[in-house]
Amino acid sequence: MKKLYFLFFIIIISFPSCNSSNQSDSEPVETDTVTETETVVDSADLARSVTNIPSLWKVEQGNNNREKLKKPDNDSVATLTPQSLIQALNLTYPDIQLVLSRVSHDTIYIGIPRSKRLTEELGSTGAYNYMATAVFNLTELSKVKFVNFQFQAGDHAEPGTYTRDDFRQLR
C-alpha cells in the first residue's frame, strides 16, 4: 500500500515538469474576463410577446372573492383549429402541456403526458380551475361538446370526459 502512495506521489511531482517550456519563446496569450449573468424570463410573457395568443376563457377573481370563468374578449377562439387552440393553451399555461389525440364526432381527446403538475402540485382548486379553463376553451371548437382527458390520475385531478356542466360553480 505504501508503494502505491509513493508511486502516486512521484507521478504528481513529475507531471508539472513534463509540461514545462520556455515562456520567452511563446507569444503572449490574451485572456478574456468572463462574468456570469442570469436573465429570468417568464415563459408566459415570452410566449405572449412572440406569438399572438387569442383571448381565451380564464378563471378570475369575481365578486365576494369567488372565482369565476371570464369569457374571451372576442370570438377568435371559435375560429381556431384544434391544434392552434391547444398551442395557445400550452403557451398560456406552459407547466401543463396538452397533446391532441383526436377529434371524434362531438368529443376531443386530449393527452397530458406529464400530468404531475396538474394532479399533484396545483391543489384541488388549481386543478379544477385549469380543467375548467381547458374544457371551456376546447368546447368553443365547432361541434365539440365533450373533452376527454387522458393522463395518470392524482390527488387533485382525474382523467375522464368533461363538459361545461361539470364546472357550473365557476359560472
Side-chain angles (χ1 to χ4, degrees), residues 54-66:
S55 177
L56 300 173
W57 283 89
K58 56 187 166 190
V59 176
E60 292 184 343
Q61 289 292 91
N63 296 340
N64 301 329
N65 233 7
R66 258 186 98 222

Side-chain angles (χ1 to χ4, degrees), residues 16-29:
S17 64
C18 295
N19 201 12
S20 66
S21 64
N22 187 351
Q23 293 294 332
S24 62
D25 293 340
S26 63
E27 294 182 24
V29 177

Side-chain angles (χ1 to χ4, degrees), residues 1 16 18 36 45 74 77 95 98 100-101 132 136 141 149 159 162:
M1 190 69 160
C18 295
E36 189 173 324
D45 290 339
N74 56 46
V77 173
D95 293 341
L98 304 176
L100 175 64
S101 295
F136 270 76
L141 295 167
F149 289 101
Y162 294 85

Side-chain angles (χ1 to χ4, degrees), residues 29-47:
V29 177
E30 292 183 29
T31 60
D32 292 332
T33 304
V34 177
T35 57
E36 189 173 324
T37 60
E38 182 176 338
T39 304
V40 178
V41 176
D42 181 4
S43 58
D45 290 339
L46 179 62

Side-chain angles (χ1 to χ4, degrees), residues 44 47-48 53-54 56 86-95 97:
R48 284 185 193 89
I53 296 177
L56 300 173
I86 288 170
Q87 181 183 17
L89 285 165
N90 287 342
L91 289 171
T92 304
Y93 304 97
D95 293 341
Q97 293 293 294

